Short mmCIF file of all heavy atoms in Angstrom, two decimals:
data_model
loop_
_atom_site.label_atom_id
_atom_site.label_comp_id
_atom_site.label_asym_id
_atom_site.label_seq_id
_atom_site.Cartn_x
_atom_site.Cartn_y
_atom_site.Cartn_z
N THR O 641 1.94 10.91 -0.85
CA THR O 641 3.20 11.55 -1.26
C THR O 641 2.91 12.95 -1.74
O THR O 641 1.83 13.25 -2.28
CB THR O 641 3.91 10.74 -2.36
OG1 THR O 641 3.06 10.65 -3.50
CG2 THR O 641 4.24 9.33 -1.88
N GLN O 642 3.90 13.82 -1.55
CA GLN O 642 3.77 15.22 -1.99
C GLN O 642 5.05 15.62 -2.71
O GLN O 642 6.15 15.17 -2.38
CB GLN O 642 3.55 16.15 -0.79
CG GLN O 642 2.20 15.97 -0.14
CD GLN O 642 1.96 16.99 0.95
OE1 GLN O 642 1.79 16.66 2.13
NE2 GLN O 642 1.92 18.27 0.56
N SER O 643 4.87 16.52 -3.67
CA SER O 643 6.05 17.07 -4.37
C SER O 643 5.81 18.52 -4.71
O SER O 643 4.66 18.94 -4.94
CB SER O 643 6.34 16.25 -5.64
OG SER O 643 5.26 16.35 -6.55
N PRO O 644 6.87 19.34 -4.75
CA PRO O 644 8.21 18.99 -4.29
C PRO O 644 8.27 19.01 -2.76
O PRO O 644 7.30 19.35 -2.10
CB PRO O 644 9.05 20.13 -4.88
CG PRO O 644 8.12 21.30 -4.90
CD PRO O 644 6.75 20.74 -5.19
N THR O 645 9.42 18.67 -2.21
CA THR O 645 9.55 18.70 -0.75
C THR O 645 9.85 20.12 -0.27
O THR O 645 9.39 20.52 0.80
CB THR O 645 10.67 17.77 -0.27
OG1 THR O 645 11.87 18.07 -0.98
CG2 THR O 645 10.30 16.32 -0.53
N HIS O 646 10.62 20.84 -1.04
CA HIS O 646 10.95 22.23 -0.71
C HIS O 646 10.84 23.08 -1.97
O HIS O 646 11.09 22.60 -3.07
CB HIS O 646 12.39 22.36 -0.17
CG HIS O 646 12.63 21.67 1.12
ND1 HIS O 646 12.96 20.34 1.20
CD2 HIS O 646 12.57 22.13 2.39
CE1 HIS O 646 13.10 20.02 2.47
NE2 HIS O 646 12.88 21.06 3.21
N LEU O 647 10.49 24.35 -1.76
CA LEU O 647 10.31 25.25 -2.90
C LEU O 647 10.56 26.67 -2.44
O LEU O 647 10.07 27.07 -1.37
CB LEU O 647 8.87 25.12 -3.39
CG LEU O 647 8.47 25.55 -4.78
CD1 LEU O 647 9.36 24.93 -5.84
CD2 LEU O 647 7.03 25.15 -5.04
N ILE O 648 11.30 27.41 -3.23
CA ILE O 648 11.52 28.82 -2.94
C ILE O 648 11.00 29.65 -4.10
O ILE O 648 11.35 29.40 -5.26
CB ILE O 648 13.02 29.13 -2.71
CG1 ILE O 648 13.54 28.32 -1.52
CG2 ILE O 648 13.23 30.63 -2.48
CD1 ILE O 648 15.03 28.46 -1.29
N LYS O 649 10.14 30.62 -3.80
CA LYS O 649 9.55 31.48 -4.81
C LYS O 649 9.70 32.93 -4.35
O LYS O 649 9.99 33.21 -3.18
CB LYS O 649 8.06 31.16 -5.00
CG LYS O 649 7.78 29.81 -5.64
CD LYS O 649 8.05 29.86 -7.12
CE LYS O 649 7.58 28.61 -7.82
NZ LYS O 649 7.80 28.70 -9.29
N THR O 650 9.46 33.84 -5.28
CA THR O 650 9.46 35.26 -4.92
C THR O 650 8.04 35.80 -4.95
O THR O 650 7.14 35.23 -5.60
CB THR O 650 10.35 36.08 -5.86
OG1 THR O 650 9.91 35.87 -7.20
CG2 THR O 650 11.80 35.67 -5.72
N ARG O 651 7.86 36.88 -4.24
CA ARG O 651 6.53 37.51 -4.12
C ARG O 651 5.95 37.79 -5.50
O ARG O 651 6.66 38.28 -6.40
CB ARG O 651 6.67 38.80 -3.33
CG ARG O 651 5.42 39.29 -2.68
CD ARG O 651 5.70 40.40 -1.71
NE ARG O 651 6.65 41.39 -2.23
CZ ARG O 651 7.04 42.45 -1.56
NH1 ARG O 651 6.62 42.66 -0.33
NH2 ARG O 651 7.89 43.30 -2.08
N GLY O 652 4.67 37.50 -5.67
CA GLY O 652 4.00 37.73 -6.94
C GLY O 652 3.99 36.53 -7.88
O GLY O 652 3.18 36.47 -8.81
N GLN O 653 4.88 35.57 -7.65
CA GLN O 653 4.91 34.39 -8.50
C GLN O 653 3.74 33.46 -8.18
O GLN O 653 2.99 33.66 -7.23
CB GLN O 653 6.24 33.65 -8.32
CG GLN O 653 7.42 34.31 -8.99
CD GLN O 653 8.65 33.42 -8.96
OE1 GLN O 653 9.04 32.92 -7.91
NE2 GLN O 653 9.28 33.24 -10.10
N GLN O 654 3.64 32.43 -8.99
CA GLN O 654 2.61 31.42 -8.82
C GLN O 654 3.29 30.09 -8.52
O GLN O 654 4.43 29.84 -8.94
CB GLN O 654 1.78 31.32 -10.12
CG GLN O 654 0.69 30.27 -10.11
CD GLN O 654 1.11 28.95 -10.75
OE1 GLN O 654 2.08 28.89 -11.50
NE2 GLN O 654 0.41 27.89 -10.42
N VAL O 655 2.59 29.22 -7.78
CA VAL O 655 3.18 27.93 -7.42
C VAL O 655 2.13 26.83 -7.52
O VAL O 655 0.93 27.08 -7.30
CB VAL O 655 3.77 27.98 -6.00
CG1 VAL O 655 2.69 28.08 -4.94
CG2 VAL O 655 4.66 26.78 -5.72
N THR O 656 2.57 25.64 -7.89
CA THR O 656 1.71 24.46 -7.92
C THR O 656 2.33 23.37 -7.08
O THR O 656 3.50 23.00 -7.29
CB THR O 656 1.51 23.94 -9.36
OG1 THR O 656 0.85 24.95 -10.13
CG2 THR O 656 0.65 22.68 -9.36
N LEU O 657 1.57 22.88 -6.12
CA LEU O 657 2.01 21.78 -5.27
C LEU O 657 1.19 20.55 -5.60
O LEU O 657 -0.01 20.67 -5.91
CB LEU O 657 1.84 22.15 -3.79
CG LEU O 657 2.40 23.52 -3.35
CD1 LEU O 657 2.17 23.73 -1.87
CD2 LEU O 657 3.86 23.65 -3.70
N ARG O 658 1.81 19.38 -5.48
CA ARG O 658 1.14 18.16 -5.90
C ARG O 658 1.03 17.15 -4.76
O ARG O 658 1.91 17.08 -3.89
CB ARG O 658 1.87 17.55 -7.09
CG ARG O 658 1.78 18.43 -8.33
CD ARG O 658 2.53 17.88 -9.52
NE ARG O 658 2.33 18.74 -10.68
CZ ARG O 658 3.03 19.85 -10.92
NH1 ARG O 658 3.99 20.22 -10.09
NH2 ARG O 658 2.78 20.59 -11.99
#
Side-chain angles (χ1 to χ4, degrees):
Chain O
T641 60
Q642 291 186 242
S643 63
T645 53
H646 295 85
L647 200 52
I648 300 175
K649 291 284 189 178
T650 56
R651 202 168 44 180
Q653 285 189 309
Q654 178 264 341
V655 69
T656 298
L657 311 181
R658 294 178 177 82

